[in-house]
Amino acid sequence: MDVTHRPRLDRSLTALAQGYTWLPGLLRHAPGDAVATRVLGKPALALRGPEAVRFFYDEQHVHRSGALPGPVLSTLFGHGAVHTLDGDAHRARKELFLPLLHADRIAALVEHTIPAWDDAVRDWSTAEQVVLFDAASEVLTRGVCRWAGIPLDEEGGEVTGLARDLVAMVDGFATAGPRHWRARRARSRQERRFARLVEDVRAGVAEAPDGSVLAAVCRHREATGEEPDTHTAAVELLNVVRPTVALCWFVAYAAHALHRWPEHRERLRAGDMAYAAAFTHEVRRFYPFVPYLGGLAAEDLTWRGVTVPAGGLVLLDVFGQNHDAGLWGDPYTFRPERFLEHVVDRDELIPQGGGDPRTGHRCPGEGLTIGVLEALALRLAGLDYTVPAQDLRISLRRIPAQVADGFVLRDVRVPAGHRAHAA
């Protein structure tokens, strides 16, 4: 398609209205998994598929600097975050997060999260009912803060407030309504709090445990050799804690899957670790979280015959790729076994982006996500509980989607003689 004949009609409102189904709908009848459109006043190229992932994450093709709209930075990522950088600045900042890829760091986070979960289960067993989405967010807040070295008054209500704010940042980034303004307030509140913590550590007033994420953030140096200002340090500290707590979405989704397809429960209860990994991958593939990712064309680009000018948007269809029949065969069937039958390519399954997390923009915390979710899926499957009447629908028009009522549990108990398995 010639650049002079690109669509003139802006699809921003359509994208907001249709949510996760927007890009898959555009691409459904497009030849070559690429289509031209217009969003946020810019010409755009939408694409998907493993080859498209590699194209998208090549910095010669797509830049992140300037790509994320201000409202997204003011809620989800924070201004000045690593997600907004390219080149040497991005690689230097990424060094802060690369230790999160190490197996020992993943195991340590799991070891901090499991006791938080087990303590919570004891409280759930005496509660009339539990909203799993909310309860899991508090478990994850306790676990990640203990692991990251962030001081938290766990008895004074600080856990609930921080968990609520971290969830709000994720929940409000893709809407113009009350959720968005709640997210802005939450981010401002926690950026101030985390900036004060960084200041105190740098001044010697507060202590950061050796080897902790807090210590790494406070001691980090940029490509220029200078330390980030306290605001930027707070932003990046939140960019470790926030996505970990966002796993509450997937915990609720895991419960939803076990409720709809209870045949998966027994293999998890038996402690089948290979199946737990497969179940975790399938939850991340099947259920909606990231709809698409965006960047700016570094130059005039052509992909599969579709062009976008330099400075135009390039959109990677994450949800559509994770539900592509060409890749998954039966994409709308929840079937963990697919991950036991063959090795899935790195750029096929992209719930947290694609490419190499060590050098590119793929989330370096993906290993943390998988490790923690495996552990909690095993523990969730090991519980007995009843699921009362509630709204279990998941609207694809809402970004981020979630189980409507948060997945309510009643009569929670650990079966006599059951031993929970750690990942």
PDB file of all heavy atoms in Angstrom, residues 33 48-56 303-304 316 321 324 327 345-350 355:
ATOM      1  N   ASP A  33      -0.908 -10.703   7.418  1.00  0.00           N
ATOM      2  CA  ASP A  33      -0.885 -10.296   8.830  1.00  0.00           C
ATOM      3  C   ASP A  33      -0.344  -8.885   9.018  1.00  0.00           C
ATOM      4  O   ASP A  33       0.453  -8.615   9.933  1.00  0.00           O
ATOM      5  CB  ASP A  33      -0.066 -11.286   9.667  1.00  0.00           C
ATOM      6  CG  ASP A  33      -0.860 -12.538  10.029  1.00  0.00           C
ATOM      7  OD1 ASP A  33      -2.096 -12.470   9.978  1.00  0.00           O
ATOM      8  OD2 ASP A  33      -0.236 -13.557  10.344  1.00  0.00           O
ATOM      9  N   ARG A  48       1.378  -8.744  13.143  1.00  0.00           N
ATOM     10  CA  ARG A  48       1.486  -9.816  14.129  1.00  0.00           C
ATOM     11  C   ARG A  48       2.195 -11.008  13.508  1.00  0.00           C
ATOM     12  O   ARG A  48       2.370 -11.084  12.297  1.00  0.00           O
ATOM     13  CB  ARG A  48       0.115 -10.227  14.668  1.00  0.00           C
ATOM     14  CG  ARG A  48      -0.739 -11.001  13.698  1.00  0.00           C
ATOM     15  CD  ARG A  48      -1.965 -11.583  14.403  1.00  0.00           C
ATOM     16  NE  ARG A  48      -2.874 -12.144  13.415  1.00  0.00           N
ATOM     17  CZ  ARG A  48      -4.180 -11.955  13.419  1.00  0.00           C
ATOM     18  NH1 ARG A  48      -4.743 -11.198  14.347  1.00  0.00           N
ATOM     19  NH2 ARG A  48      -4.936 -12.517  12.499  1.00  0.00           N
ATOM     20  N   GLY A  49       2.594 -11.945  14.380  1.00  0.00           N
ATOM     21  CA  GLY A  49       3.313 -13.133  13.959  1.00  0.00           C
ATOM     22  C   GLY A  49       4.748 -13.096  14.441  1.00  0.00           C
ATOM     23  O   GLY A  49       5.311 -12.024  14.691  1.00  0.00           O
ATOM     24  N   PRO A  50       5.393 -14.263  14.609  1.00  0.00           N
ATOM     25  CA  PRO A  50       6.766 -14.303  15.123  1.00  0.00           C
ATOM     26  C   PRO A  50       7.754 -13.463  14.324  1.00  0.00           C
ATOM     27  O   PRO A  50       8.608 -12.781  14.907  1.00  0.00           O
ATOM     28  CB  PRO A  50       7.118 -15.796  15.054  1.00  0.00           C
ATOM     29  CG  PRO A  50       5.794 -16.493  15.170  1.00  0.00           C
ATOM     30  CD  PRO A  50       4.823 -15.617  14.439  1.00  0.00           C
ATOM     31  N   GLU A  51       7.654 -13.473  13.004  1.00  0.00           N
ATOM     32  CA  GLU A  51       8.553 -12.639  12.211  1.00  0.00           C
ATOM     33  C   GLU A  51       8.265 -11.160  12.453  1.00  0.00           C
ATOM     34  O   GLU A  51       9.191 -10.334  12.510  1.00  0.00           O
ATOM     35  CB  GLU A  51       8.422 -12.973  10.734  1.00  0.00           C
ATOM     36  CG  GLU A  51       8.965 -14.344  10.356  1.00  0.00           C
ATOM     37  CD  GLU A  51       8.852 -14.588   8.857  1.00  0.00           C
ATOM     38  OE1 GLU A  51       8.974 -13.620   8.084  1.00  0.00           O
ATOM     39  OE2 GLU A  51       8.631 -15.752   8.484  1.00  0.00           O
ATOM     40  N   ALA A  52       6.999 -10.818  12.602  1.00  0.00           N
ATOM     41  CA  ALA A  52       6.629  -9.437  12.887  1.00  0.00           C
ATOM     42  C   ALA A  52       7.160  -9.003  14.255  1.00  0.00           C
ATOM     43  O   ALA A  52       7.555  -7.845  14.440  1.00  0.00           O
ATOM     44  CB  ALA A  52       5.109  -9.281  12.838  1.00  0.00           C
ATOM     45  N   VAL A  53       7.185  -9.933  15.214  1.00  0.00           N
ATOM     46  CA  VAL A  53       7.737  -9.618  16.540  1.00  0.00           C
ATOM     47  C   VAL A  53       9.201  -9.220  16.413  1.00  0.00           C
ATOM     48  O   VAL A  53       9.652  -8.227  16.998  1.00  0.00           O
ATOM     49  CB  VAL A  53       7.577 -10.830  17.492  1.00  0.00           C
ATOM     50  CG1 VAL A  53       8.357 -10.615  18.783  1.00  0.00           C
ATOM     51  CG2 VAL A  53       6.109 -11.066  17.802  1.00  0.00           C
ATOM     52  N   ARG A  54       9.952  -9.993  15.630  1.00  0.00           N
ATOM     53  CA  ARG A  54      11.374  -9.680  15.465  1.00  0.00           C
ATOM     54  C   ARG A  54      11.562  -8.355  14.735  1.00  0.00           C
ATOM     55  O   ARG A  54      12.485  -7.591  15.049  1.00  0.00           O
ATOM     56  CB  ARG A  54      12.059 -10.838  14.738  1.00  0.00           C
ATOM     57  CG  ARG A  54      12.131 -12.107  15.604  1.00  0.00           C
ATOM     58  CD  ARG A  54      12.895 -13.207  14.952  1.00  0.00           C
ATOM     59  NE  ARG A  54      12.093 -13.993  14.028  1.00  0.00           N
ATOM     60  CZ  ARG A  54      11.310 -15.014  14.385  1.00  0.00           C
ATOM     61  NH1 ARG A  54      11.220 -15.355  15.661  1.00  0.00           N
ATOM     62  NH2 ARG A  54      10.630 -15.684  13.484  1.00  0.00           N
ATOM     63  N   PHE A  55      10.699  -8.071  13.777  1.00  0.00           N
ATOM     64  CA  PHE A  55      10.725  -6.795  13.070  1.00  0.00           C
ATOM     65  C   PHE A  55      10.426  -5.649  14.037  1.00  0.00           C
ATOM     66  O   PHE A  55      11.113  -4.631  14.056  1.00  0.00           O
ATOM     67  CB  PHE A  55       9.695  -6.832  11.937  1.00  0.00           C
ATOM     68  CG  PHE A  55       9.585  -5.570  11.121  1.00  0.00           C
ATOM     69  CD1 PHE A  55      10.416  -5.342  10.037  1.00  0.00           C
ATOM     70  CD2 PHE A  55       8.629  -4.615  11.438  1.00  0.00           C
ATOM     71  CE1 PHE A  55      10.304  -4.180   9.278  1.00  0.00           C
ATOM     72  CE2 PHE A  55       8.511  -3.450  10.692  1.00  0.00           C
ATOM     73  CZ  PHE A  55       9.352  -3.235   9.610  1.00  0.00           C
ATOM     74  N   PHE A  56       9.417  -5.816  14.864  1.00  0.00           N
ATOM     75  CA  PHE A  56       8.961  -4.795  15.798  1.00  0.00           C
ATOM     76  C   PHE A  56      10.039  -4.461  16.830  1.00  0.00           C
ATOM     77  O   PHE A  56      10.215  -3.304  17.221  1.00  0.00           O
ATOM     78  CB  PHE A  56       7.690  -5.280  16.493  1.00  0.00           C
ATOM     79  CG  PHE A  56       7.102  -4.332  17.499  1.00  0.00           C
ATOM     80  CD1 PHE A  56       6.278  -3.306  17.098  1.00  0.00           C
ATOM     81  CD2 PHE A  56       7.365  -4.479  18.848  1.00  0.00           C
ATOM     82  CE1 PHE A  56       5.725  -2.421  18.023  1.00  0.00           C
ATOM     83  CE2 PHE A  56       6.819  -3.615  19.791  1.00  0.00           C
ATOM     84  CZ  PHE A  56       5.996  -2.587  19.360  1.00  0.00           C
ATOM     85  N   TRP A 303       6.125  -3.448   5.661  1.00  0.00           N
ATOM     86  CA  TRP A 303       6.034  -4.820   6.164  1.00  0.00           C
ATOM     87  C   TRP A 303       4.912  -5.528   5.427  1.00  0.00           C
ATOM     88  O   TRP A 303       3.772  -5.084   5.466  1.00  0.00           O
ATOM     89  CB  TRP A 303       5.782  -4.830   7.675  1.00  0.00           C
ATOM     90  CG  TRP A 303       5.586  -6.214   8.228  1.00  0.00           C
ATOM     91  CD1 TRP A 303       4.408  -6.794   8.620  1.00  0.00           C
ATOM     92  CD2 TRP A 303       6.601  -7.198   8.420  1.00  0.00           C
ATOM     93  NE1 TRP A 303       4.618  -8.069   9.048  1.00  0.00           N
ATOM     94  CE2 TRP A 303       5.964  -8.349   8.937  1.00  0.00           C
ATOM     95  CE3 TRP A 303       7.979  -7.221   8.202  1.00  0.00           C
ATOM     96  CZ2 TRP A 303       6.674  -9.508   9.240  1.00  0.00           C
ATOM     97  CZ3 TRP A 303       8.676  -8.384   8.511  1.00  0.00           C
ATOM     98  CH2 TRP A 303       8.029  -9.501   9.031  1.00  0.00           C
ATOM     99  N   ARG A 304       5.270  -6.605   4.736  1.00  0.00           N
ATOM    100  CA  ARG A 304       4.295  -7.387   3.964  1.00  0.00           C
ATOM    101  C   ARG A 304       3.487  -6.505   3.020  1.00  0.00           C
ATOM    102  O   ARG A 304       2.268  -6.666   2.900  1.00  0.00           O
ATOM    103  CB  ARG A 304       3.380  -8.162   4.916  1.00  0.00           C
ATOM    104  CG  ARG A 304       4.122  -9.098   5.875  1.00  0.00           C
ATOM    105  CD  ARG A 304       4.675 -10.316   5.165  1.00  0.00           C
ATOM    106  NE  ARG A 304       5.530 -11.126   6.002  1.00  0.00           N
ATOM    107  CZ  ARG A 304       5.110 -12.085   6.835  1.00  0.00           C
ATOM    108  NH1 ARG A 304       3.828 -12.321   6.975  1.00  0.00           N
ATOM    109  NH2 ARG A 304       5.989 -12.783   7.527  1.00  0.00           N
ATOM    110  N   LEU A 316       1.902  -3.878  17.548  1.00  0.00           N
ATOM    111  CA  LEU A 316       2.043  -5.330  17.570  1.00  0.00           C
ATOM    112  C   LEU A 316       0.825  -5.926  18.264  1.00  0.00           C
ATOM    113  O   LEU A 316       0.559  -5.635  19.431  1.00  0.00           O
ATOM    114  CB  LEU A 316       3.319  -5.725  18.313  1.00  0.00           C
ATOM    115  CG  LEU A 316       3.608  -7.222  18.418  1.00  0.00           C
ATOM    116  CD1 LEU A 316       3.847  -7.832  17.037  1.00  0.00           C
ATOM    117  CD2 LEU A 316       4.820  -7.466  19.333  1.00  0.00           C
ATOM    118  N   GLN A 321      -2.122 -12.389  18.354  1.00  0.00           N
ATOM    119  CA  GLN A 321      -1.105 -13.415  18.130  1.00  0.00           C
ATOM    120  C   GLN A 321      -1.259 -14.572  19.101  1.00  0.00           C
ATOM    121  O   GLN A 321      -1.099 -15.738  18.727  1.00  0.00           O
ATOM    122  CB  GLN A 321       0.299 -12.828  18.249  1.00  0.00           C
ATOM    123  CG  GLN A 321       1.392 -13.872  18.038  1.00  0.00           C
ATOM    124  CD  GLN A 321       2.734 -13.284  17.738  1.00  0.00           C
ATOM    125  OE1 GLN A 321       2.834 -12.257  17.075  1.00  0.00           O
ATOM    126  NE2 GLN A 321       3.792 -13.937  18.208  1.00  0.00           N
ATOM    127  N   ASP A 324      -3.952 -16.809  17.634  1.00  0.00           N
ATOM    128  CA  ASP A 324      -3.830 -17.036  16.194  1.00  0.00           C
ATOM    129  C   ASP A 324      -3.940 -18.530  15.913  1.00  0.00           C
ATOM    130  O   ASP A 324      -3.113 -19.322  16.392  1.00  0.00           O
ATOM    131  CB  ASP A 324      -2.484 -16.486  15.715  1.00  0.00           C
ATOM    132  CG  ASP A 324      -2.316 -16.572  14.207  1.00  0.00           C
ATOM    133  OD1 ASP A 324      -3.114 -17.262  13.547  1.00  0.00           O
ATOM    134  OD2 ASP A 324      -1.368 -15.957  13.690  1.00  0.00           O
ATOM    135  N   LEU A 327      -0.920 -20.421  14.707  1.00  0.00           N
ATOM    136  CA  LEU A 327       0.108 -20.766  15.686  1.00  0.00           C
ATOM    137  C   LEU A 327      -0.372 -21.816  16.681  1.00  0.00           C
ATOM    138  O   LEU A 327       0.400 -22.668  17.123  1.00  0.00           O
ATOM    139  CB  LEU A 327       0.544 -19.514  16.456  1.00  0.00           C
ATOM    140  CG  LEU A 327       1.345 -18.462  15.698  1.00  0.00           C
ATOM    141  CD1 LEU A 327       1.558 -17.233  16.580  1.00  0.00           C
ATOM    142  CD2 LEU A 327       2.684 -19.019  15.242  1.00  0.00           C
ATOM    143  N   ASP A 345       8.286 -21.393  20.375  1.00  0.00           N
ATOM    144  CA  ASP A 345       9.304 -20.401  20.069  1.00  0.00           C
ATOM    145  C   ASP A 345       9.137 -19.161  20.940  1.00  0.00           C
ATOM    146  O   ASP A 345       8.013 -18.775  21.287  1.00  0.00           O
ATOM    147  CB  ASP A 345       9.219 -20.016  18.588  1.00  0.00           C
ATOM    148  CG  ASP A 345      10.289 -19.019  18.176  1.00  0.00           C
ATOM    149  OD1 ASP A 345      11.423 -19.448  17.924  1.00  0.00           O
ATOM    150  OD2 ASP A 345       9.976 -17.811  18.108  1.00  0.00           O
ATOM    151  N   ARG A 346      10.262 -18.546  21.261  1.00  0.00           N
ATOM    152  CA  ARG A 346      10.255 -17.355  22.115  1.00  0.00           C
ATOM    153  C   ARG A 346       9.311 -16.276  21.601  1.00  0.00           C
ATOM    154  O   ARG A 346       8.644 -15.577  22.382  1.00  0.00           O
ATOM    155  CB  ARG A 346      11.676 -16.793  22.195  1.00  0.00           C
ATOM    156  CG  ARG A 346      11.831 -15.537  23.017  1.00  0.00           C
ATOM    157  CD  ARG A 346      13.202 -14.899  22.794  1.00  0.00           C
ATOM    158  NE  ARG A 346      13.292 -14.334  21.447  1.00  0.00           N
ATOM    159  CZ  ARG A 346      14.412 -13.796  20.944  1.00  0.00           C
ATOM    160  NH1 ARG A 346      15.518 -13.799  21.656  1.00  0.00           N
ATOM    161  NH2 ARG A 346      14.410 -13.290  19.728  1.00  0.00           N
ATOM    162  N   ASP A 347       9.229 -16.095  20.288  1.00  0.00           N
ATOM    163  CA  ASP A 347       8.443 -15.016  19.712  1.00  0.00           C
ATOM    164  C   ASP A 347       7.059 -15.455  19.240  1.00  0.00           C
ATOM    165  O   ASP A 347       6.383 -14.714  18.536  1.00  0.00           O
ATOM    166  CB  ASP A 347       9.212 -14.365  18.559  1.00  0.00           C
ATOM    167  CG  ASP A 347      10.466 -13.655  19.047  1.00  0.00           C
ATOM    168  OD1 ASP A 347      10.446 -13.144  20.182  1.00  0.00           O
ATOM    169  OD2 ASP A 347      11.464 -13.624  18.309  1.00  0.00           O
ATOM    170  N   GLU A 348       6.641 -16.653  19.653  1.00  0.00           N
ATOM    171  CA  GLU A 348       5.266 -17.087  19.402  1.00  0.00           C
ATOM    172  C   GLU A 348       4.355 -16.693  20.559  1.00  0.00           C
ATOM    173  O   GLU A 348       3.283 -16.134  20.349  1.00  0.00           O
ATOM    174  CB  GLU A 348       5.228 -18.612  19.185  1.00  0.00           C
ATOM    175  CG  GLU A 348       5.871 -19.071  17.897  1.00  0.00           C
ATOM    176  CD  GLU A 348       5.863 -20.580  17.726  1.00  0.00           C
ATOM    177  OE1 GLU A 348       5.534 -21.296  18.705  1.00  0.00           O
ATOM    178  OE2 GLU A 348       6.199 -21.047  16.635  1.00  0.00           O
ATOM    179  N   LEU A 349       4.773 -17.001  21.781  1.00  0.00           N
ATOM    180  CA  LEU A 349       3.989 -16.669  22.979  1.00  0.00           C
ATOM    181  C   LEU A 349       4.504 -15.340  23.518  1.00  0.00           C
ATOM    182  O   LEU A 349       5.624 -15.248  24.009  1.00  0.00           O
ATOM    183  CB  LEU A 349       4.144 -17.766  24.032  1.00  0.00           C
ATOM    184  CG  LEU A 349       3.369 -17.566  25.341  1.00  0.00           C
ATOM    185  CD1 LEU A 349       1.874 -17.622  25.103  1.00  0.00           C
ATOM    186  CD2 LEU A 349       3.809 -18.597  26.377  1.00  0.00           C
ATOM    187  N   ILE A 350       3.658 -14.293  23.440  1.00  0.00           N
ATOM    188  CA  ILE A 350       4.151 -12.945  23.773  1.00  0.00           C
ATOM    189  C   ILE A 350       3.229 -12.185  24.724  1.00  0.00           C
ATOM    190  O   ILE A 350       2.974 -10.997  24.527  1.00  0.00           O
ATOM    191  CB  ILE A 350       4.383 -12.130  22.491  1.00  0.00           C
ATOM    192  CG1 ILE A 350       3.086 -12.028  21.647  1.00  0.00           C
ATOM    193  CG2 ILE A 350       5.516 -12.712  21.667  1.00  0.00           C
ATOM    194  CD1 ILE A 350       3.184 -10.984  20.547  1.00  0.00           C
ATOM    195  N   GLY A 355      10.907 -10.716  21.712  1.00  0.00           N
ATOM    196  CA  GLY A 355      12.312 -10.364  21.630  1.00  0.00           C
ATOM    197  C   GLY A 355      13.101 -10.891  22.807  1.00  0.00           C
ATOM    198  O   GLY A 355      12.614 -11.682  23.624  1.00  0.00           O
TER     199      GLY A 355
END
